Amino acid sequence: MEKIVFEKSDIRDFVKTIIAEKIEKLKSFIEFTLEASRDIKKTPKYDSMREEMQEEIYQMQRQLGALNDLKINMAKVLNTATERVQLGSLVITNKARFYISVSLGEFFFEGDRFYAISPESPMAKKMMGMKPGDEFTLNKIHQKIVEVL
């Protein structure tokens, strides 16, 4: 199989950028919702509308907290080359590409699909310590590790 070339530092920066953009977007939504809640005129439905908006703001603030946690955890992800799967590894299998970092899920980088997964995820736990050539099965899906960066 042809060796695939990816710059792990570029992928790391890309994931950090995605997180930062999500944080900024959520901050904008929160600010917009706060402004809208201040502009509500007293009507018969005034209290229920404000209550719903407060609940929405609360949910967005929780999401913002989770994103800030991702940002903090991403700062702990090393960018060094590794021979075995560990935190910070970019793992290329015969089925997918996994970046062991934070639980961000699927993303596309330069036209290729990647999955940013937490080291606590079942997939990462299964791969931890493995090296190229090792094979594993998770959820009845058999995969072979092609490369660890």
Side-chain angles (χ1 to χ4, degrees):
M1 187 170 179
E2 179 187 326
K3 201 157 185 160
I4 307 148
V5 180
F6 292 109
E7 266 308 316
K8 188 165 67 168
S9 61
D10 291 345
I11 292 170
R12 183 175 187 263
D13 292 342
F14 187 73
V15 168
K16 288 171 104 176
T17 301
I18 290 172
I19 294 168
E21 286 172 354
K22 286 182 178 228
I23 287 171
E24 286 310 307
K25 190 182 287 187
L26 204 49
K27 283 181 178 177
S28 296
F29 285 154
I30 290 170
E31 188 57 40
F32 176 80
T33 307
L34 280 169
E35 285 295 319
S37 72
R38 290 184 198 116
D39 292 343
I40 294 174
K41 304 291 179 230
K42 291 206 181 231
T43 65
K45 294 184 178 183
Y46 173 79
D47 289 334
S48 65
M49 286 172 62
R50 279 188 67 98
E51 221 172 274
E52 282 180 36
M53 290 179 116
Q54 281 305 118
E55 180 60 31
E56 187 70 28
I57 290 166
Y58 172 72
Q59 293 299 331
M60 286 190 285
Q61 287 172 332
R62 285 185 49 218
Q63 289 175 354
L64 185 59
L67 284 170
N68 281 321
D69 288 346
L70 285 184
K71 184 177 177 181
I72 290 165
N73 290 335
M74 198 57 211
K76 298 174 189 171
V77 175
L78 303 175
N79 198 33
T80 53
T82 59
E83 291 179 17
R84 292 188 176 269
V85 178
Q86 65 183 35
L87 178 65
S89 293
L90 178 60
V91 183
I92 313 296
T93 73
N94 60 329
K95 305 258 194 239
R97 298 169 195 87
F98 301 97
Y99 183 44
I100 315 294
S101 53
V102 294
S103 182
L104 190 63
E106 180 184 66
F107 67 95
F108 290 86
F109 178 75
E110 294 182 358
D112 290 306
R113 176 182 292 164
F114 291 84
Y115 297 92
I117 60 174
S118 159
E120 288 84 36
S121 72
M123 179 65 75
K125 284 182 177 179
K126 193 81 170 172
M127 292 189 293
M128 284 298 181
M130 291 184 162
K131 61 188 183 317
D134 289 347
E135 298 181 24
F136 64 95
T137 302
L138 183 67
N139 297 330
K140 299 180 183 173
I141 298 172
H142 186 78
Q143 296 189 59
K144 180 178 181 178
I145 296 177
V146 176
E147 200 171 349
V148 178
L149 303 169

